[in-house]
Amino acid sequence: MRLAILACCTALTAGPALADKIFVSNEKGNTITVLDSDSLEVIHTISGMQRPRGITASPDGKIIYVCASDDNLVRVYDAETYEELPSLPSGPDPELFVLHPSGNPLFIANEDDNIVTVVDVETRQVLAEVPVGVEPEGMGVSPDGKIVVNTSETTNMAHMIDTETYEIVANVLVDSRPRFAEYTPDGSLLFVTAEIGGTVSVIDPATNEITKKIEFEVAGVLPEALQPVGLRVTADGTKAYVALGPANRVAVIDVASLEVTDYLLVGQRVWQLGFSPDGRFLYTTNGNSNDISVIDTETDTVTVSVPVGEQPWGVVAVKSD
Amino acid sequence: MRDIHRLAVASVVLCLAAALPARAEVEYRAAVLRVDAPGPAPISRLDLVPEDLGFAGAELGTADNATTGGFMGQSFTTETIAATPESAEAEISRLLDEGVPYIVLLADAPMTLRLADLAGDRALVFNAMAPEDSLRGADCRANLLHVAPSDSMIADALAQYLVWKKWTDWFLIEGSHPQDQALAAAYRRAAEKFGARIVEERVYEDTGGARRTDSGHVQVQKQMPVFTQRARDHHVVVAADRAGVFADWLPYHTWDARPVAGSSGLVPESWHPAHEAWGATQFQTRFERLANRPARDEDYQVWMALRAIGEAATRTQGGDFAAIRDFILSGDFDLAAFKGQSLSFRDWDGQLRQPVLLSAGNVVASVSPQEEFLHQVSQLDTLGIDQGETECER
């Protein structure tokens, strides 16, 4: 399925390039802003949800899933027509989720209930509820789909959940208020950000040991403002980008050396990150300046910031049909 | 009067420890000792003191610790005790004899000091209520940590906001109780520290009597304007009323049309049931589900004290009393407590550095420190007594 899409797109590159669509969830605005990736114009606004936060797309880019936290469900939209599809049960107060690499099921962190809810996106049935630590938040999935990682903000752990048995197979203690978990594409490293601890833990998934803690330092920025939240790794696995919250910066990490190579100034309170489908651009949601910044990943420069809705939270970009 | 509940959450029921190597379970025993002094009811029935004040925070803190403990092979028990001023010393002696090494106090300043001295080096004591700076200054104790923000932190938090607002001319009204005067002194100090001026000062004498009477507002409406008339030109009225005698009546009753801040109006405090930022909603909903009421400052402060123990237990991988105490006081300790940054204890006076909420009725209007006030070490140290100013010799 995925190969077919790639082939199709390769065939199309001879013709006029098709723009991607960028979907941004606006936590306060209660909307999803849709932008055209070429013009960076707002082409549509989806409304009718309460407190949208986590946002992701199906592997084929046709379906958008949104954690509507105050609706206590996951809202589902057609990426092309913006039509709302039947919602998914989520458990109370869903904040972040991750889709299995196959496109099903969806693993949802329920902050209020100390559980991870597993939902079949086709039958819309809850498959399992996995008890985890206090205030589950970050969700990551290994590239082979065998392990889902949940971070619990008050317990300060990354819980490794077997995606077949739905049981916790390992717990790794990280720094305070872990927010986000992401593997490298080859599955050899797992990054976990800690917002209050101010670090990114690098975990060896084979041993579930922390091999390094990456720290941050920006001249003129208070150390307590350096709060790692969202994190994304490039498709080739060479670089990781870390949103540093109220420091208004995105850190660039060289994955080979695990050193910070650059800090990019973006909008205020940068929270989550999402790549363009081809990986050329990285979009950042800047909650306090109501905009997204666009980072060119070839040059690691911030090219532009674009206004979206009120308090943008999450972002996902998909190919247009 | 003695009222004891034991909160124990056996971590084994969580069945989550399976993935960790088998080890003997480590037990952490704490107690919350609340000393209830008799006194008049508050002005507003909305402020009536719940019977489980602080204890509900203990229950949540113990449950949160136990969830994490389930992964770590640690269990947590917390005994909650409502004592009288007469029975408090016997209660803490009993706890010490039973070997409870972590004691959280909800008591006034003189009682807190007396109980901390009784504990000596047998327990680490957390002050979760008394705000007096003297406890952090000349009367400080090596075994006493303060999770409640001090008067000077409260005053500085409001001062920063008022100065940011350019409301620099204050009409300070203080109550006649010692704790009111301690708070008023903190406001005088804060005005000087941040460049505000106290242009008028008055003392509102507590003449006794009930604070709640049927249609009492009729007299108040006559008395408050008279009490506040002919004050020198001011931007804002700052009320220092720890005893809760008059401040609630100030808004809309002042002679001049001026906003009120301090003990009513815009109120600096450690917690507010409307606080939602930095994940606080999760604390509020967990707490309300458990206690069937909104959380109060004392609940949040007890929760922080117990979480400090839990955090140290986690980070020291089940450390003993000395390890826990040393870790809490070390530079490696940080506590996440829904205030947007990590909290830690000042090594010069044992005070937990923390942002202070500025609430206005149903909302949290602002949070101090205000970003414009800088500090060479931690911006949180713009609130309260800094290292160079401390009178504490620990």
Side-chain angles (χ1 to χ4, degrees):
Chain A
M1 185 64 190
R2 206 171 197 187
L3 282 175
I5 293 169
L6 284 174
C8 139
C9 297
T10 313
L12 278 170
T13 47
L18 280 175
D20 303 325
K21 281 180 181 174
I22 308 164
F23 291 79
V24 180
S25 60
N26 302 303
E27 181 182 7
K28 185 154 193 277
N30 284 348
T31 56
I32 306 289
T33 302
V34 189
L35 302 103
D36 176 285
S37 69
D38 280 352
S39 67
L40 294 171
E41 298 277 337
V42 175
I43 51 175
H44 191 76
T45 302
I46 308 174
S47 53
M49 69 205 75
Q50 294 196 67
R51 208 170 173 211
R53 293 196 280 179
I55 184 167
T56 193
S58 59
D60 61 9
K62 290 184 187 301
I63 295 176
I64 303 294
Y65 300 98
V66 182
C67 286
S69 299
D70 283 356
D71 292 329
N72 296 324
L73 46 79
V74 170
R75 293 197 181 268
V76 186
Y77 299 92
D78 183 307
E80 195 194 346
T81 65
Y82 315 122
E83 182 192 355
E84 183 165 5
L85 306 173
S87 301
L88 300 174
S90 68
D93 196 16
E95 176 162 2
L96 250 180
F97 50 20
V98 69
L99 201 56
H100 191 271
S102 67
N104 198 14
L106 191 61
F107 297 86
I108 306 162
N110 298 113
E111 280 196 312
D112 267 3
D113 266 15
N114 301 349
I115 55 171
V116 167
T117 302
V118 188
V119 176
D120 187 308
V121 298
E122 278 160 18
T123 66
R124 302 193 290 277
Q125 297 298 307
V126 174
L127 300 176
E129 291 181 340
V130 185
V132 291
V134 183
E135 290 170 48
E137 160 115 8
M139 299 294 302
V141 61
S142 62
D144 63 9
K146 288 185 174 161
I147 297 288
V148 154
V149 186
N150 162 254
T151 66
S152 50
E153 290 177 324
T154 290
T155 295
N156 300 327
M157 284 184 185
H159 309 285
M160 313 295 176
I161 302 167
D162 185 308
T163 56
E164 283 183 7
T165 63
Y166 305 131
E167 287 189 1
I168 294 177
V169 292
N171 300 293
V172 180
L173 187 62
V174 295
D175 285 339
S176 287
R177 247 183 120 68
R179 289 293 296 263
F180 202 83
E182 173 114 332
Y183 284 86
T184 51
D186 64 0
S188 65
L189 295 176
L190 169 64
F191 295 102
V192 175
T193 63
E195 182 183 23
I196 295 293
T199 59
V200 172
S201 288
V202 185
I203 296 168
D204 177 354
T207 61
N208 289 314
E209 299 280 341
I210 294 175
T211 55
K212 174 161 183 172
K213 281 186 184 171
I214 300 169
E215 296 185 347
F216 303 91
E217 192 177 352
V218 179
V221 176
L222 291 165
E224 55 261 38
L226 294 160
Q227 300 185 350
V229 185
L231 185 151
R232 294 289 179 192
V233 182
T234 54
D236 64 5
T238 58
K239 286 191 288 190
Y241 294 86
V242 187
L244 293 177
N248 308 336
R249 305 282 197 296
V250 169
V252 187
I253 293 169
D254 173 52
V255 171
S257 65
L258 297 176
E259 298 290 337
V260 179
T261 57
D262 208 352
Y263 293 96
L264 312 176
L265 185 64
V266 291
Q268 292 172 19
R269 202 199 71 185
V270 54
W271 231 338
Q272 296 293 341
L273 309 171
F275 285 112
S276 61
D278 64 2
R280 173 69 195 270
F281 298 104
L282 180 71
Y283 306 110
T284 77
T285 52
N286 312 320
N288 280 357
S289 47
N290 294 341
D291 54 9
I292 62 167
S293 297
V294 182
I295 294 170
D296 183 330
T297 61
E298 284 186 8
T299 58
D300 283 338
T301 51
V302 181
T303 57
V304 67
S305 290
V306 188
V308 290
E310 273 187 288
Q311 291 206 339
W313 199 98
V315 57
V316 66
V318 299
K319 282 214 164 297
S320 275
D321 276 331
Chain B
M1 188 63 199
R2 195 170 112 176
D3 172 23
I4 298 183
H5 303 275
R6 280 177 206 275
L7 313 169
V9 185
S11 55
V12 284
V13 299
L14 292 165
C15 295
L16 297 169
L20 288 164
R23 66 182 113 169
E25 189 162 277
V26 185
E27 187 190 13
Y28 289 93
R29 294 170 67 198
V32 178
L33 178 55
R34 194 183 71 200
V35 185
D36 296 327
I43 290 175
S44 168
R45 65 184 301 276
L46 298 183
D47 296 327
L48 288 169
V49 179
E51 281 187 13
D52 61 350
L53 181 73
F55 297 169
E59 193 177 342
L60 183 63
T62 307
D64 284 355
N65 284 344
T67 304
T68 304
F71 299 105
M72 303 291 297
Q74 298 165 357
S75 68
F76 293 83
T77 58
T78 306
E79 183 177 333
T80 57
I81 305 146
T84 62
E86 293 71 34
S87 70
E89 292 183 15
E91 291 292 356
I92 200 167
S93 297
R94 177 183 61 79
L95 291 170
L96 294 166
D97 290 345
E98 289 175 8
V100 176
Y102 309 105
I103 298 175
V104 185
L105 295 180
L106 292 164
D108 63 19
M111 179 63 78
T112 297
L113 198 57
R114 207 148 68 230
L115 297 176
D117 284 344
L118 277 173
D121 57 9
R122 290 198 283 168
L124 187 60
V125 181
F126 295 83
N127 164 25
M129 195 166 119
E132 280 82 348
D133 283 294
S134 57
L135 280 180
R136 289 94 171 149
D139 290 337
C140 73
R141 294 292 186 269
N143 66 337
L144 183 59
L145 298 173
H146 309 275
V147 286
S150 64
D151 278 335
S152 60
M153 291 166 73
I154 292 292
D156 288 353
L158 180 62
Q160 287 191 3
Y161 181 83
L162 295 180
V163 168
W164 176 82
K165 203 80 184 63
K166 300 196 186 340
W167 293 348
T168 51
D169 295 354
W170 301 355
F171 174 10
L172 177 65
I173 305 178
E174 61 180 280
S176 56
H177 293 265
Q179 64 266 41
D180 304 333
Q181 289 160 3
L183 179 59
Y187 277 116
R188 281 184 209 102
R189 183 185 161 279
E192 190 179 339
K193 181 174 172 182
F194 294 107
R197 291 185 302 165
I198 294 172
V199 296
E200 178 86 28
E201 280 193 47
R202 286 181 196 178
V203 176
Y204 192 99
E205 291 288 343
D206 181 7
T207 51
R211 295 179 195 175
R212 296 157 63 206
T213 54
D214 197 336
S215 57
H217 64 277
V218 174
Q219 285 193 5
V220 167
Q221 190 171 335
K222 304 281 192 307
Q223 291 163 348
M224 273 300 170
V226 173
F227 177 75
T228 53
Q229 73 176 328
R230 294 197 196 95
R232 271 183 285 274
D233 278 354
H234 55 278
H235 296 132
V236 58
V237 174
V238 174
D241 179 25
R242 282 275 181 212
V245 173
F246 64 95
D248 283 342
W249 292 118
L250 279 174
Y252 307 103
H253 285 316
T254 54
W255 183 269
D256 299 300
R258 292 290 180 272
V260 175
S263 298
S264 73
L266 185 68
V267 179
E269 56 189 337
S270 73
W271 195 250
H272 188 275
H275 178 47
E276 291 212 78
W278 306 300
T281 314
Q282 275 65 252
F283 177 94
Q284 309 282 19
T285 53
R286 279 209 305 284
F287 182 90
E288 285 158 15
R289 197 155 38 186
L290 176 149
N292 294 313
R293 63 172 174 84
R296 301 211 177 186
D297 289 5
E298 290 85 349
D299 295 300
Y300 172 68
Q301 285 153 198
V302 169
W303 180 88
M304 285 201 294
L306 295 178
R307 278 293 302 134
I309 298 162
E311 184 66 17
T314 305
R315 298 293 166 190
T316 59
Q317 306 272 344
D320 62 10
F321 176 64
I324 297 291
R325 184 191 55 206
D326 292 350
F327 182 81
I328 285 177
L329 294 170
S330 75
D332 293 331
F333 177 82
D334 63 8
L335 184 66
F338 315 103
K339 293 282 184 77
Q341 52 187 297
S342 71
L343 314 184
S344 56
F345 289 95
R346 291 174 179 152
D347 59 9
W348 56 91
D349 62 1
Q351 171 67 53
L352 187 71
R353 39 170 82 85
Q354 57 193 297
V356 172
L357 310 181
L358 300 175
S359 71
N362 281 347
V363 295
V364 175
S366 184
V367 182
S368 284
Q370 303 294 317
E371 62 179 341
E372 289 79 5
F373 295 91
L374 304 180
H375 190 276
Q376 66 276 21
V377 178
S378 162
Q379 202 173 11
L380 292 178
D381 288 343
T382 63
L383 303 180
I385 305 293
D386 206 349
Q387 187 156 21
E389 310 163 300
T390 185
E391 292 175 18
C392 174
E393 293 171 15
R394 276 152 68 93

